[in-house]
Amino acid sequence: MSFQEEFLWGSASAAYQIEGAANLDGKGDSIWDVYSRVPGNTFKNTTGEVAIDFYHRFEEDVALMKEMGLQAYRFSVSWPRIMADGRTVNRQGVEFYHKVIDTLIANGITPILTIYHWDLPQALQDEYQGWESRDIIDDFTRYCEVLFEEYGDKIPYWVSLNEQNIFTSLGYLQAIHPPKVSDFQRFVNANHIANLANASAVKKFREMGIEAKIGASFAYSPAYAQSAKPEDVIAAEDAQELQDLFWMDVYAKGRYPKIALKRLETLNIHIDFQPGDKELLAAGVCDFMGLNYYQSATFVAAENKQKTAQTGNASQVSVVSEISDIPTDKLFARADNEYLEMTDWNWAVDPNGLRVALRRITSRYELPILISENGLGAFDTLTEEGKVHDDYRIDFLRRHVEAISEAIDDGCEVIGYCTWSCQDLFSWLNGYAKRYGFIYVDRDEESAKELKRYKKDSFYWYQKVIETNGEQL
Ligand code: BGP
């Protein structure tokens, strides 16, 4: 029996991907509102302007969550809904999240609040270039302070930054997220500032004596060496240092990993440490590690790079980065893993990788882990009878839940499991074609239609899993 009584069976979402109501009730533009309006930036120019209209339909959605038996719902707060200009509190925005949280609680669902899931107020991007300026540290901390004051006694688990590794690397290196920059040094600079902001938020949380837990969610694709060739093993170790520990060490230990720093130096990349930075990072250690797991990542030494290597979003139904020649290309290259199948979007399906991720976090940090995202993005078909037979999703999730159970037996402490996602939602670079939910939302890139909700087969499967606390998979 692996899952403890208090284990939380949940699901996750993010404000921009579900809410819609982009400019209602005093909400300001986020960088994603502005970015997705520019033709060519997103798949078929889709936006989150309407998304799945959670803003108006959250009661209906929470009722479905309750029916499914969901025990936790992770959602994010939109900073520009709380503060249109990034600083001035908008009471209507604050009240909206009070209503969502209260509705969840009234239905027996534990709210897990993500503070930042990528929708920075555009005003702060315009004023000082967002994450590239240290001015953001104070603004972000003030925003967090408002959330802690308002919701501090209602939320047991707080996620500070969602996937800092993704929003900095896609935004400042691969140029496929706002602000669409490709510059390794700027990426490292923005990331350092994000680390300081994250630490400052955690510090504020402690100072305010909030009786809850806080952690960041990290998109972790554990690194494998493609072969036992020692140079491939070193390449995978380098990838682990620079793509994983470079963030997780900061969250868990309050400092950068030593080898990663040295490797960056050899690439002539430097972190702009100012007086007080080290102390601030040390004061920002998290209570738990938030783990977003989708796939493992396989590497070879740069000189063994294969032309055929598949990476992330390689399908034609998404926006793909065309940037090449980044400094770390000298150290390692992504490679195929012949043992793994791929999803329709070329993501490696690897349940064991989740076990590896949980074990590596446990051995290095001994922290409890909240699995804050895991799921399968797939094409779904709505039948004429209003059914979605997503046995492929059930199979994917079942194998991942088994892997969690094995990891728990290995000694990992897992707080809960939030699948991505509960309802179908807007995918940043894949429009509405790539679906993740237990609940089908009838809309597509061309039209929001009526946004009608349908329960997929996986809805009933997860209901059983929750009911039996993971006994019946
Ligand atoms: C994570 C994000 C989510 C979500 C998910 C699926 O990186 O935190 O917001 O989008 O990935 O990604 P995608 O929609 O690209 O398939």
Side-chain angles (χ1 to χ4, degrees), residues 383-427:
T383 68
E384 278 174 17
E385 301 77 47
K387 309 269 185 227
V388 178
H389 301 304
D390 56 343
D391 45 307
Y392 38 88
R393 181 169 294 107
I394 294 174
D395 180 62
F396 179 100
L397 294 173
R398 174 189 296 123
R399 289 158 64 203
H400 284 78
V401 172
E402 278 165 3
I404 300 167
S405 141
E406 286 161 349
I408 293 173
D409 292 342
D410 295 336
C412 301
E413 188 187 336
V414 186
I415 300 165
Y417 177 56
C418 292
T419 66
W420 186 268
S421 52
C422 183
Q423 318 93 310
D424 289 341
L425 39 71
F426 170 69
S427 169

Side-chain angles (χ1 to χ4, degrees), residues 2-3 7 9 391 393-406 417 458 460-473:
S2 308
F3 298 99
F7 189 86
W9 296 98
D391 45 307
R393 181 169 294 107
I394 294 174
D395 180 62
F396 179 100
L397 294 173
R398 174 189 296 123
R399 289 158 64 203
H400 284 78
V401 172
E402 278 165 3
I404 300 167
S405 141
E406 286 161 349
Y417 177 56
S458 56
Y460 300 101
W461 172 80
Y462 202 43
Q463 190 178 49
K464 255 282 163 295
V465 173
I466 299 171
E467 204 179 286
T468 61
N469 196 26
E471 289 271 297
Q472 197 172 317
L473 294 175

Side-chain angles (χ1 to χ4, degrees), residues 17 117-118 162-163 292 294 347 373 420 427-428 430 434 436:
Q17 298 179 274
H117 204 127
W118 307 353
N162 177 71
E163 296 191 352
N292 290 2
Y294 289 89
W347 290 20
E373 286 180 32
W420 186 268
S427 169
W428 309 95
N430 316 281
K434 192 178 186 185
Y436 281 92

